[in-house]
Amino acid sequence: MAEWTESAYFENAYSFIHDLNPDIRYDAKEDDPKTAKRKVIRGGSWKDVAFFLQTPNRTYEYQDTTKCYIGFRCVLTFLGRSINDF
């Protein structure tokens, strides 16, 4: 199953984002241009050839569409641990 992300999709994103946090968040409004409504899809699914099954594979889909081969997983940001946790 390919995986939805919250990141907005820009073709040249790697030229202006940081390696440690490659995340660009943007919730497009209904009247925004179509290119602003693209979200990053990672990995591949049952419909793809082996090359696209790798996690670094990055493509996009429009945020208001559904596809049977795209899913998501719930995650939390790890903010570290306090000194008292040792």
Side-chain angles (χ1 to χ4, degrees):
M1 175 103 8
E3 184 178 344
W4 278 107
T5 69
E6 284 187 301
S7 299
Y9 180 85
F10 296 97
E11 288 182 28
N12 62 343
Y14 289 122
S15 67
F16 64 84
I17 60 175
H18 195 278
D19 292 352
L20 296 177
N21 188 15
D23 190 21
I24 304 169
R25 304 251 174 124
Y26 181 72
D27 289 325
K29 312 296 183 272
E30 194 171 318
D31 57 338
D32 282 343
K34 197 165 184 155
T35 56
K37 298 178 182 180
R38 300 183 298 186
K39 297 291 183 183
V40 173
I41 305 295
R42 288 280 183 184
S45 70
W46 53 268
K47 71 164 193 63
D48 294 315
V49 296
F51 173 79
F52 294 109
L53 299 179
Q54 302 171 45
T55 304
N57 181 43
R58 179 177 168 271
T59 187
Y60 71 89
E61 194 58 66
Y62 294 100
Q63 69 183 21
D64 58 352
T65 63
T66 59
K67 305 287 185 196
C68 64
Y69 52 86
I70 301 174
F72 66 93
R73 97 182 118 142
C74 299
V75 295
L76 290 172
T77 301
F78 179 70
L79 299 175
R81 66 173 71 152
S82 68
I83 296 173
N84 299 330
D85 289 343
F86 291 104

